[in-house]
Amino acid sequence: MNARLETIAADELRYDWTAEAISALFDLPFMELMYQAQQVHRQHFDPNKVQVSSLLSIKTGKCPEDCAYCPQSVRHDAELTVDPLMPLDDVLLAAKKAKSQGSSRFCMGAAWRSPKDKDLDAVTDMIKGVNALGMETCMTLGMLSQKQTQRLKEAGLDYYNHNLDTSPDFYGEIITTRTYQDRLDTLAHVRDAGINVCCGGIIGMGESRSDRVGLLQQLANQPQHPESVPINMLVRVEGTPLASAAELDQLEFVRTLAVARIMMPRSYVRLSAGRESMSDETQALCFLAGANSVFYGEKLLTTPNPSMDHDMLLFEKLGMQVMQ
Ligand code: SAM
Ligand code: DTB
Ligand code: SF4
């Protein structure tokens, strides 16, 4: 076993990652990095299995926040069909369909800065209804107070998605309407309520490699590693400030996934937004780097995702099976 991997194995589940140690992983020759990531991956997961979740936007657009990447911000002029909070029956219909198509987790997203208490009455009904179908539930609703996370937990919520998005240093270039600390506070409330944490970020927003290092450092040095780590490749949406961001080298994206896998060995690392513009070959490298979860279904929240037929063919070509 190579010396660096021995260190990783011995110190498994580290929460004290330094920027230097993370940079050293990024700097490894590509083949070496992939080899190490694959070895760590195989210690904890079946390398031929992929977890799939379906996404539904339950409230779309007119968000007061100014996230530079997001088509749902009221401050940008992306083309978008604005929709108020979806009725319960429509949500359950979409969840049933997702279940029949093979998804075991149903993720519901709302374009809110944070939910109001009356919004929570409606979403707790959605959680109960989706759980009753025998599916895991995930929600992403913006910032939450401690009391609100307790309500979600009591309703049976399995996962809450709240991303850090980027490094603390680069954050101010992307969002000005809420702070990094606001995000960390919400994550602490989610964790304290006993809800599984889904937390990751976006790559390709014009950040430097040291920002990618900073993001992963923040993710891995939380009191517990997030159970699920979505790594999104920026979807450049017309009308948003990042519409013409420079395209990131896809191998740098693969490296980011590999480093995330090594740093958070037991977490599900999700190859999230951005698959629509990736070749099958790039996605195969992402799985080799240790990604073992994807969003499944033609649409993310508002932007396209690969068709289910395409994904099934890809999994078949790679000999991968969907986790039940
Ligand atoms: N409004 C809530 C919030 O921001 O917490 C929940 C929904 S928000 C759309 C969920 C996540 O989607 C964001 O944190 C961001 O990481 C991701 N996202 C949004 N737009 C994206 C884009 N154009 N490309 C990649 N990821 C994106
Ligand atoms: C996450 O990290 N990625 C998903 C999910 N969490 C909610 C959202 C991706 C959104 C991409 C842009 C859109 O479709 O609006
Ligand atoms: Fe609103 Fe979430 Fe989009 Fe930011 S990412 S503008 S908070 S919907």
Side-chain angles (χ1 to χ4, degrees), residues 119-141:
D119 299 326
L120 275 200
D121 295 340
V123 301
T124 49
D125 287 344
M126 293 176 191
I127 294 166
K128 289 177 194 158
V130 174
N131 277 342
L133 298 174
M135 296 180 89
E136 286 182 321
T137 46
C138 176
M139 289 239 159
T140 179
L141 313 171

Side-chain angles (χ1 to χ4, degrees), residues 97 101 276 296-300 303-310:
K97 189 167 167 211
Q101 289 163 337
E276 170 69 0
Y296 182 60
E298 269 86 23
K299 207 158 137 198
L300 292 164
T303 64
N305 199 38
S307 74
M308 287 180 281
D309 285 351
H310 188 110

Side-chain angles (χ1 to χ4, degrees), residues 69 161-167 171 174-175 180 183 187 198-205 207 211-212 214-216 218-219 222 226 228-235 253 256-257 260 264 268-274 295:
Y69 48 77
N161 167 241
H162 198 65
N163 290 337
L164 289 174
D165 280 348
T166 190
S167 69
Y171 185 84
I174 303 296
I175 299 136
Y180 212 80
R183 291 186 185 249
L187 290 167
C198 173
C199 180
I202 310 178
I203 309 300
M205 298 193 291
E207 78 285 348
D211 292 313
R212 293 186 278 281
L215 167 66
L216 294 184
Q218 288 289 328
L219 292 172
Q222 291 175 65
S228 164
V229 182
I231 304 291
N232 298 275
M233 173 76 111
L234 174 70
V235 180
F253 182 78
T256 308
L257 287 172
M264 293 169 276
Y268 281 82
V269 175
R270 181 173 302 140
L271 164 56
S272 300
F295 285 118

